[in-house]
Amino acid sequence: VKRNFEIVLILLVLLIGFVQIDAEEGRQIAITVDDLPFVTMGGGTKDVEPIKQWTTKLLAKFKKYRAPAIGFVNAGKLFLDSKEVAQNTALLSMWLDAGFELGNHSFGHKDFHRVPWQEFRDDVVSGERVIMGLLKQRGQTLRFFRHPLLHTGNNMEKKNTLAAFLADRGYRVAPVTVDNSEWIYARAYHYAIEAGNKKQMKQIVDSYIPYMEQKLQYFENQSKLLLGYEIKQILLLHANELNADHFDKLAEMMEKRGYEFISIYDALKDKAYTSKDSYIGNAGISWIHRWALSQGEKGSFFKGEPEAPEFIKKLAGINYE
Ligand SMILES: [Zn+2]
């Protein structure tokens, strides 16, 4: 009898340990959403109604899970034949009226690593006017900048020039810790919607949620490896159909892992965000990895990062990641 008791006790201890590893208390994460008003909206749009419906859906899900998300705007998408379209700008008001913050993601989503400095600088500045106008009406100010493609500069001079310029204009940079290829899933999902292929839509979602959980798990571990604790994470998502339809599943998975949703402003109170960042690589990567590289971490530190499965890439028509 005593022996059975001991076995039960050992199993219990193991079980508690296991549950704790998977759902640690006090985890926090900020949701950031890029390419507003909507990913599938190119230069303006003639029929804004479907995008309005997608936006309504997406914002309702953020509200339901009390996720104080921030949206990063490409103001160029509001313009049709170089004229600002009021119905497009109204999509942004929906975010603000629902209590969400907006930041600048540049006017035309230019790649800082590919265009001359003046061109990129102008793209940042032209991105401001519409957002600032909307914020001003509500007594708010423009606080955050998110780099397109997370490209912060591929040489030290460029990186420092942009950082100083953004600080000078009153921006805080919006880093990403949980980087991922949600955008590949979203593209595959968009094609499945267009094809009216419900079975494929479901297949994509059934892979999306576990994939995102693996990414979270990976960056939780990377944070512990580098910092000794789990940082207040910042997740990168996009304004797309996939999240409008399924953010609830994503939120429930995160809640199960013990996450509480916080604003990017609160996430940045984590002292880790002041870590040295001398990364000048070409790729837009997680800030956890930028700090790791700045500290001289090598190959083995980064191993095991989950990738989107081949069938998803294929459906999205993408052969890289
Ligand atoms: Zn973007």
Side-chain angles (χ1 to χ4, degrees), residues 48-65:
V48 77
E49 198 48 41
I51 294 172
K52 199 173 156 189
Q53 285 170 20
W54 285 115
T55 304
T56 303
K57 251 178 148 176
L58 183 64
L59 296 179
K61 286 192 171 141
F62 291 150
K63 268 205 149 167
K64 184 174 172 202
Y65 290 90

PDB file of all heavy atoms in Angstrom, residues 48-65:
ATOM      1  N   VAL A  48     -15.435  48.972 -50.326  1.00  0.00           N
ATOM      2  CA  VAL A  48     -14.900  48.901 -48.972  1.00  0.00           C
ATOM      3  C   VAL A  48     -15.756  48.010 -48.059  1.00  0.00           C
ATOM      4  O   VAL A  48     -15.301  47.579 -46.997  1.00  0.00           O
ATOM      5  CB  VAL A  48     -14.746  50.332 -48.393  1.00  0.00           C
ATOM      6  CG1 VAL A  48     -16.093  50.892 -47.955  1.00  0.00           C
ATOM      7  CG2 VAL A  48     -13.741  50.369 -47.277  1.00  0.00           C
ATOM      8  N   GLU A  49     -16.986  47.707 -48.483  1.00  0.00           N
ATOM      9  CA  GLU A  49     -17.937  47.005 -47.610  1.00  0.00           C
ATOM     10  C   GLU A  49     -17.412  45.667 -47.055  1.00  0.00           C
ATOM     11  O   GLU A  49     -17.493  45.430 -45.850  1.00  0.00           O
ATOM     12  CB  GLU A  49     -19.269  46.819 -48.348  1.00  0.00           C
ATOM     13  CG  GLU A  49     -20.458  46.501 -47.453  1.00  0.00           C
ATOM     14  CD  GLU A  49     -20.614  47.419 -46.224  1.00  0.00           C
ATOM     15  OE1 GLU A  49     -20.413  48.650 -46.380  1.00  0.00           O
ATOM     16  OE2 GLU A  49     -20.909  46.910 -45.131  1.00  0.00           O
ATOM     17  N   PRO A  50     -16.861  44.774 -47.906  1.00  0.00           N
ATOM     18  CA  PRO A  50     -16.341  43.505 -47.354  1.00  0.00           C
ATOM     19  C   PRO A  50     -15.239  43.734 -46.320  1.00  0.00           C
ATOM     20  O   PRO A  50     -15.198  43.031 -45.303  1.00  0.00           O
ATOM     21  CB  PRO A  50     -15.770  42.787 -48.580  1.00  0.00           C
ATOM     22  CG  PRO A  50     -16.366  43.450 -49.765  1.00  0.00           C
ATOM     23  CD  PRO A  50     -16.724  44.837 -49.377  1.00  0.00           C
ATOM     24  N   ILE A  51     -14.373  44.705 -46.564  1.00  0.00           N
ATOM     25  CA  ILE A  51     -13.278  44.965 -45.628  1.00  0.00           C
ATOM     26  C   ILE A  51     -13.820  45.514 -44.303  1.00  0.00           C
ATOM     27  O   ILE A  51     -13.315  45.210 -43.234  1.00  0.00           O
ATOM     28  CB  ILE A  51     -12.239  45.908 -46.267  1.00  0.00           C
ATOM     29  CG1 ILE A  51     -11.581  45.170 -47.430  1.00  0.00           C
ATOM     30  CG2 ILE A  51     -11.187  46.349 -45.262  1.00  0.00           C
ATOM     31  CD1 ILE A  51     -10.684  45.995 -48.284  1.00  0.00           C
ATOM     32  N   LYS A  52     -14.889  46.288 -44.429  1.00  0.00           N
ATOM     33  CA  LYS A  52     -15.547  46.803 -43.226  1.00  0.00           C
ATOM     34  C   LYS A  52     -16.076  45.638 -42.384  1.00  0.00           C
ATOM     35  O   LYS A  52     -15.944  45.628 -41.156  1.00  0.00           O
ATOM     36  CB  LYS A  52     -16.693  47.729 -43.653  1.00  0.00           C
ATOM     37  CG  LYS A  52     -17.170  48.662 -42.578  1.00  0.00           C
ATOM     38  CD  LYS A  52     -18.170  49.649 -43.155  1.00  0.00           C
ATOM     39  CE  LYS A  52     -19.074  50.174 -42.054  1.00  0.00           C
ATOM     40  NZ  LYS A  52     -20.182  50.954 -42.619  1.00  0.00           N
ATOM     41  N   GLN A  53     -16.647  44.655 -43.063  1.00  0.00           N
ATOM     42  CA  GLN A  53     -17.188  43.493 -42.344  1.00  0.00           C
ATOM     43  C   GLN A  53     -16.086  42.665 -41.688  1.00  0.00           C
ATOM     44  O   GLN A  53     -16.216  42.221 -40.554  1.00  0.00           O
ATOM     45  CB  GLN A  53     -18.011  42.619 -43.293  1.00  0.00           C
ATOM     46  CG  GLN A  53     -19.372  43.239 -43.602  1.00  0.00           C
ATOM     47  CD  GLN A  53     -20.104  42.520 -44.729  1.00  0.00           C
ATOM     48  OE1 GLN A  53     -19.804  41.367 -45.039  1.00  0.00           O
ATOM     49  NE2 GLN A  53     -21.055  43.206 -45.344  1.00  0.00           N
ATOM     50  N   TRP A  54     -14.982  42.478 -42.421  1.00  0.00           N
ATOM     51  CA  TRP A  54     -13.850  41.743 -41.840  1.00  0.00           C
ATOM     52  C   TRP A  54     -13.307  42.483 -40.622  1.00  0.00           C
ATOM     53  O   TRP A  54     -12.959  41.878 -39.611  1.00  0.00           O
ATOM     54  CB  TRP A  54     -12.737  41.571 -42.875  1.00  0.00           C
ATOM     55  CG  TRP A  54     -12.997  40.544 -43.938  1.00  0.00           C
ATOM     56  CD1 TRP A  54     -13.150  40.779 -45.280  1.00  0.00           C
ATOM     57  CD2 TRP A  54     -13.125  39.127 -43.762  1.00  0.00           C
ATOM     58  NE1 TRP A  54     -13.359  39.596 -45.946  1.00  0.00           N
ATOM     59  CE2 TRP A  54     -13.353  38.562 -45.046  1.00  0.00           C
ATOM     60  CE3 TRP A  54     -13.073  38.275 -42.657  1.00  0.00           C
ATOM     61  CZ2 TRP A  54     -13.523  37.194 -45.235  1.00  0.00           C
ATOM     62  CZ3 TRP A  54     -13.244  36.907 -42.846  1.00  0.00           C
ATOM     63  CH2 TRP A  54     -13.465  36.382 -44.125  1.00  0.00           C
ATOM     64  N   THR A  55     -13.215  43.806 -40.732  1.00  0.00           N
ATOM     65  CA  THR A  55     -12.681  44.615 -39.631  1.00  0.00           C
ATOM     66  C   THR A  55     -13.595  44.512 -38.408  1.00  0.00           C
ATOM     67  O   THR A  55     -13.111  44.360 -37.275  1.00  0.00           O
ATOM     68  CB  THR A  55     -12.529  46.087 -40.079  1.00  0.00           C
ATOM     69  OG1 THR A  55     -11.696  46.119 -41.246  1.00  0.00           O
ATOM     70  CG2 THR A  55     -11.903  46.942 -38.991  1.00  0.00           C
ATOM     71  N   THR A  56     -14.903  44.570 -38.643  1.00  0.00           N
ATOM     72  CA  THR A  56     -15.874  44.432 -37.546  1.00  0.00           C
ATOM     73  C   THR A  56     -15.660  43.113 -36.815  1.00  0.00           C
ATOM     74  O   THR A  56     -15.616  43.057 -35.584  1.00  0.00           O
ATOM     75  CB  THR A  56     -17.317  44.471 -38.104  1.00  0.00           C
ATOM     76  OG1 THR A  56     -17.481  45.691 -38.831  1.00  0.00           O
ATOM     77  CG2 THR A  56     -18.352  44.397 -36.992  1.00  0.00           C
ATOM     78  N   LYS A  57     -15.481  42.051 -37.596  1.00  0.00           N
ATOM     79  CA  LYS A  57     -15.273  40.714 -37.041  1.00  0.00           C
ATOM     80  C   LYS A  57     -13.992  40.643 -36.196  1.00  0.00           C
ATOM     81  O   LYS A  57     -13.986  40.111 -35.089  1.00  0.00           O
ATOM     82  CB  LYS A  57     -15.115  39.721 -38.197  1.00  0.00           C
ATOM     83  CG  LYS A  57     -16.279  38.769 -38.393  1.00  0.00           C
ATOM     84  CD  LYS A  57     -15.980  37.889 -39.609  1.00  0.00           C
ATOM     85  CE  LYS A  57     -16.584  36.515 -39.432  1.00  0.00           C
ATOM     86  NZ  LYS A  57     -16.379  35.697 -40.659  1.00  0.00           N
ATOM     87  N   LEU A  58     -12.926  41.174 -36.761  1.00  0.00           N
ATOM     88  CA  LEU A  58     -11.617  41.125 -36.100  1.00  0.00           C
ATOM     89  C   LEU A  58     -11.655  41.896 -34.775  1.00  0.00           C
ATOM     90  O   LEU A  58     -11.205  41.391 -33.741  1.00  0.00           O
ATOM     91  CB  LEU A  58     -10.551  41.710 -37.035  1.00  0.00           C
ATOM     92  CG  LEU A  58      -9.107  41.679 -36.548  1.00  0.00           C
ATOM     93  CD1 LEU A  58      -8.616  40.244 -36.378  1.00  0.00           C
ATOM     94  CD2 LEU A  58      -8.182  42.418 -37.517  1.00  0.00           C
ATOM     95  N   LEU A  59     -12.217  43.102 -34.819  1.00  0.00           N
ATOM     96  CA  LEU A  59     -12.233  43.944 -33.618  1.00  0.00           C
ATOM     97  C   LEU A  59     -13.131  43.347 -32.534  1.00  0.00           C
ATOM     98  O   LEU A  59     -12.816  43.428 -31.344  1.00  0.00           O
ATOM     99  CB  LEU A  59     -12.675  45.373 -33.976  1.00  0.00           C
ATOM    100  CG  LEU A  59     -11.722  46.117 -34.923  1.00  0.00           C
ATOM    101  CD1 LEU A  59     -12.246  47.518 -35.241  1.00  0.00           C
ATOM    102  CD2 LEU A  59     -10.311  46.215 -34.335  1.00  0.00           C
ATOM    103  N   ALA A  60     -14.223  42.717 -32.954  1.00  0.00           N
ATOM    104  CA  ALA A  60     -15.124  42.078 -31.974  1.00  0.00           C
ATOM    105  C   ALA A  60     -14.375  40.973 -31.226  1.00  0.00           C
ATOM    106  O   ALA A  60     -14.577  40.774 -30.025  1.00  0.00           O
ATOM    107  CB  ALA A  60     -16.342  41.507 -32.684  1.00  0.00           C
ATOM    108  N   LYS A  61     -13.488  40.278 -31.938  1.00  0.00           N
ATOM    109  CA  LYS A  61     -12.734  39.187 -31.291  1.00  0.00           C
ATOM    110  C   LYS A  61     -11.689  39.735 -30.325  1.00  0.00           C
ATOM    111  O   LYS A  61     -11.491  39.184 -29.244  1.00  0.00           O
ATOM    112  CB  LYS A  61     -12.111  38.285 -32.348  1.00  0.00           C
ATOM    113  CG  LYS A  61     -13.221  37.455 -32.966  1.00  0.00           C
ATOM    114  CD  LYS A  61     -12.820  36.311 -33.818  1.00  0.00           C
ATOM    115  CE  LYS A  61     -14.106  35.537 -34.116  1.00  0.00           C
ATOM    116  NZ  LYS A  61     -14.195  35.026 -35.462  1.00  0.00           N
ATOM    117  N   PHE A  62     -11.017  40.810 -30.698  1.00  0.00           N
ATOM    118  CA  PHE A  62     -10.064  41.432 -29.757  1.00  0.00           C
ATOM    119  C   PHE A  62     -10.802  41.884 -28.502  1.00  0.00           C
ATOM    120  O   PHE A  62     -10.305  41.760 -27.390  1.00  0.00           O
ATOM    121  CB  PHE A  62      -9.362  42.628 -30.397  1.00  0.00           C
ATOM    122  CG  PHE A  62      -8.404  42.259 -31.503  1.00  0.00           C
ATOM    123  CD1 PHE A  62      -8.174  43.134 -32.562  1.00  0.00           C
ATOM    124  CD2 PHE A  62      -7.712  41.053 -31.480  1.00  0.00           C
ATOM    125  CE1 PHE A  62      -7.290  42.805 -33.580  1.00  0.00           C
ATOM    126  CE2 PHE A  62      -6.823  40.719 -32.501  1.00  0.00           C
ATOM    127  CZ  PHE A  62      -6.614  41.598 -33.551  1.00  0.00           C
ATOM    128  N   LYS A  63     -11.996  42.440 -28.706  1.00  0.00           N
ATOM    129  CA  LYS A  63     -12.789  42.940 -27.567  1.00  0.00           C
ATOM    130  C   LYS A  63     -13.216  41.800 -26.664  1.00  0.00           C
ATOM    131  O   LYS A  63     -13.107  41.887 -25.447  1.00  0.00           O
ATOM    132  CB  LYS A  63     -14.032  43.673 -28.081  1.00  0.00           C
ATOM    133  CG  LYS A  63     -13.789  45.163 -28.261  1.00  0.00           C
ATOM    134  CD  LYS A  63     -15.086  45.940 -28.161  1.00  0.00           C
ATOM    135  CE  LYS A  63     -14.814  47.326 -27.592  1.00  0.00           C
ATOM    136  NZ  LYS A  63     -15.963  48.226 -27.760  1.00  0.00           N
ATOM    137  N   LYS A  64     -13.713  40.730 -27.275  1.00  0.00           N
ATOM    138  CA  LYS A  64     -14.215  39.590 -26.509  1.00  0.00           C
ATOM    139  C   LYS A  64     -13.137  39.039 -25.576  1.00  0.00           C
ATOM    140  O   LYS A  64     -13.415  38.644 -24.455  1.00  0.00           O
ATOM    141  CB  LYS A  64     -14.705  38.498 -27.468  1.00  0.00           C
ATOM    142  CG  LYS A  64     -15.334  37.334 -26.750  1.00  0.00           C
ATOM    143  CD  LYS A  64     -15.944  36.305 -27.681  1.00  0.00           C
ATOM    144  CE  LYS A  64     -16.360  35.078 -26.868  1.00  0.00           C
ATOM    145  NZ  LYS A  64     -16.457  33.882 -27.734  1.00  0.00           N
ATOM    146  N   TYR A  65     -11.894  39.005 -26.051  1.00  0.00           N
ATOM    147  CA  TYR A  65     -10.805  38.458 -25.242  1.00  0.00           C
ATOM    148  C   TYR A  65     -10.017  39.545 -24.516  1.00  0.00           C
ATOM    149  O   TYR A  65      -8.951  39.296 -23.988  1.00  0.00           O
ATOM    150  CB  TYR A  65      -9.899  37.564 -26.105  1.00  0.00           C
ATOM    151  CG  TYR A  65     -10.638  36.296 -26.490  1.00  0.00           C
ATOM    152  CD1 TYR A  65     -11.396  36.249 -27.657  1.00  0.00           C
ATOM    153  CD2 TYR A  65     -10.645  35.200 -25.640  1.00  0.00           C
ATOM    154  CE1 TYR A  65     -12.122  35.115 -27.983  1.00  0.00           C
ATOM    155  CE2 TYR A  65     -11.364  34.065 -25.962  1.00  0.00           C
ATOM    156  CZ  TYR A  65     -12.107  34.025 -27.131  1.00  0.00           C
ATOM    157  OH  TYR A  65     -12.837  32.909 -27.432  1.00  0.00           O
TER     158      TYR A  65
END
